[in-house]
Amino acid sequence: MEMLNQKQKNLLTELFHGLKAAKQLQAQLGAVPSAPPSLSSSSSSCLTTEMKETLLHEIVSSYEKAILMVNGSIQDNPTTEPVELAANLVATSGKVLESPTSISGSPRSQEFLDGESKDYYLSYKKRKMLPKWTEQVRISPERGLEGPHDDVFSWRKYGRKDILGAKYPRSYYRCTFRNTQNCWATKQVQRSDGDPTIFEVTYKGTHTCSQRIPPPEKRENKPNPTVKNYHNDLLDNLRTNLTVRTNGIEGDGFSFPVTPPFYSYDSINGDPGNGGGTFSHVGNSGPSDFTGLISTNTSTGSSPVFDVDFQFDPTAEINTCFHTFFHDSI
DNA sequence: TTCATTTGACCGCC
DNA sequence: GGCGGTCAAATGAA
C-alpha cells in the first residue's frame, strides 16, 4: 500500500476531527438513536451552549482547513473541482449558510486556482466565499445576554456603518488575531429594528487561530466582557439559590472562592447533566487526593440542591474543586 | 506605551 | 452611482 504524504495525513486528520465533532453534536441533538452510550443523550445533555458552539466551530473549521488543503493539492492537480467540494462540505457542516451561490458560483472557481500570495488569499471576493450564518441575541435588562452569544472569541471592532432602511447602525468586528495568526473570522452586529432588545449577529468564516478552543487562562483572566458578565450573572444566580448538603464532613459546608480553581472534576465518569457526577483532586500540590460523588436532589423545588458524599476528608480546598465543577457545568 | 474604538475615506459589487 | 464592507489615521482608555 502506498504511503500517505504529509498533506494527505493532515487532510485526513482534519476530516476525522470534523467527523468526530459532528458525531458528538449529532449525539447531543439526539438525531441518531443508535449513538454510542458514551455520547447518548443522558450524558451528553450536559453540554453547555458554549460547548455546542465550540463543537460547531470545530466542525466548520476542520472542514475549511481540509478544503484549503485540497485547494493546495489542486494547484498541483488541476483536474479536481475544489469549489464543488467546498460547497458540499460546508453545506453539510450544520450551519445555515446564506451565501451558497457565491460558494458554488463557477466564475469564482478560478479564484482558488490563482496561486497568489497568502496576503492576497482572502481578497474581497474570497471573503465572500467564507461560510456565513446568523444568530439572534436577545438582551434582557435583568439577565443580560440570552441566546447563543456566549462565544468566547476575542473580537476587535473595525467599523460601523449606517445601513439604508435600518434604524440602527451595523458594527463590524474581526478576530483580534487576524494579523498575528492570520485568522479571518469576522462578525457583524445589527440591532433589530422591530425589537431593540434583539441583536442579529452574522458570523463570516470560522476561527483558525489558537483561540478556537480558548485556553483556560483566557476564560479565567481575560474573558470577553460581554461573556464575563453573562457568566457572572449565572454564577451569581447559582450562588444565591444553590444549596449543597455535605455528607461525610463536619462543619458548615462551604462558600464559593474568589480565587481561580486548581482542581477539576471528572465529567466523563459522572453524569452532571443528569444531576450528578464525580470529582477528584487532580492538583500536583496541596492536600492528599480525594474524590466525591455529587447528585442532585430535585425534591425541594426550583432551587438546585446537591447531595455530596465524600470518600475522604477533602479539607477546605474542596471549595475550589466545587467552583470548577459548577463553573464548567453552566 | 499598547491596544481598542471611532470615523471618514476608499474600494468593489450590483 | 449607490450601497455595503473594509481600511487606516486619529483618538481614547487602561
Side-chain angles (χ1 to χ4, degrees):
Chain A
M1 187 172 70
E2 191 175 338
M3 291 285 288
L4 296 176
N5 62 32
Q6 191 57 43
K7 281 184 180 179
Q8 290 171 320
K9 286 180 181 176
N10 291 339
L11 177 61
L12 278 176
T13 299
E14 286 301 327
L15 287 173
F16 277 124
H17 185 83
L19 181 62
K20 182 183 174 184
K23 284 189 173 180
Q24 287 184 357
L25 191 63
Q26 188 180 48
Q28 161 69 24
L29 296 175
V32 179
S34 60
S38 62
L39 296 174
S40 60
S41 57
S42 62
S43 62
S44 59
S45 60
C46 65
L47 287 182
T48 63
T49 303
E50 181 179 304
M51 294 165 71
K52 294 173 193 172
E53 290 267 311
T54 301
L55 277 177
L56 282 171
H57 281 293
E58 284 189 38
I59 295 168
V60 174
S61 181
S62 291
Y63 281 140
E64 283 185 340
K65 281 187 176 181
I67 291 164
L68 291 178
M69 292 174 191
V70 172
N71 289 337
S73 60
I74 290 310
Q75 293 174 12
D76 301 328
N77 179 16
T79 60
T80 326
E81 292 293 339
V83 176
E84 290 181 10
L85 176 61
N88 290 333
L89 286 178
V90 174
T92 55
S93 64
K95 288 287 184 181
V96 180
L97 302 179
E98 296 181 348
S99 55
T101 53
S102 63
I103 288 177
S104 58
S106 56
R108 304 197 190 279
S109 302
Q110 190 61 34
E111 293 166 9
F112 268 124
L113 310 178
D114 286 343
E116 299 187 23
S117 68
K118 202 172 186 177
D119 290 339
Y120 184 69
Y121 166 63
L122 282 179
S123 65
Y124 183 88
K125 291 180 182 178
K126 290 169 185 175
R127 284 177 209 164
K128 286 187 68 177
M129 299 173 68
L130 291 172
K132 178 181 171 184
W133 67 94
T134 302
E135 295 174 354
Q136 287 196 338
V137 179
R138 177 180 292 277
I139 303 295
S140 168
E142 296 83 14
R143 298 179 55 189
L145 286 174
E146 296 177 2
H149 193 56
D150 51 346
D151 67 63
V152 295
F153 298 105
S154 180
W155 300 96
R156 178 171 179 167
K157 190 174 184 176
Y158 66 87
R160 193 175 117 123
K161 193 81 174 178
D162 289 323
I163 302 301
L164 192 70
K167 190 183 299 183
Y168 304 98
R170 179 178 298 167
S171 297
Y172 299 88
Y173 298 83
R174 61 173 171 80
C175 177
T176 303
F177 303 101
R178 166 175 289 189
N179 296 330
T180 57
Q181 299 183 33
N182 203 35
C183 179
W184 288 85
T186 63
K187 74 172 181 181
Q188 303 171 3
V189 178
Q190 172 85 56
R191 196 169 197 166
S192 172
D193 288 343
D195 187 349
T197 64
I198 293 179
F199 287 77
E200 289 190 359
V201 184
T202 300
Y203 295 89
K204 284 185 179 178
T206 55
H207 289 268
T208 57
C209 56
S210 58
Q211 62 166 348
R212 184 178 71 173
I213 301 175
E217 60 268 23
K218 176 178 179 300
R219 290 185 176 185
E220 297 293 338
N221 300 330
K222 291 186 67 178
N224 179 320
T226 305
V227 177
K228 185 179 71 176
N229 291 338
Y230 174 72
H231 284 170
N232 283 344
D233 286 347
L234 289 175
L235 275 175
D236 287 342
N237 184 275
L238 196 57
R239 288 186 179 111
T240 302
N241 298 316
L242 176 68
T243 301
V244 178
R245 302 196 303 221
T246 53
N247 309 320
I249 58 174
E250 304 294 333
D252 299 329
F254 69 93
S255 59
F256 281 99
V258 294
T259 54
F262 301 99
Y263 303 84
S264 67
Y265 74 99
D266 186 354
S267 62
I268 298 175
N269 295 330
D271 191 8
N274 201 27
T278 62
F279 60 86
S280 57
H281 168 210
V282 295
N284 295 324
S285 60
S288 59
D289 285 359
F290 62 85
T291 61
L293 178 63
I294 301 174
S295 59
T296 53
N297 184 333
T298 58
S299 61
T300 55
S302 57
S303 298
V305 176
F306 290 85
D307 289 324
V308 184
D309 289 300
F310 294 112
Q311 307 301 313
F312 303 97
D313 186 348
T315 78
E317 295 202 42
I318 190 172
N319 291 354
T320 308
C321 184
F322 250 109
H323 187 182
T324 303
F325 177 85
F326 291 112
H327 178 83
D328 289 352
S329 296
I330 61 175

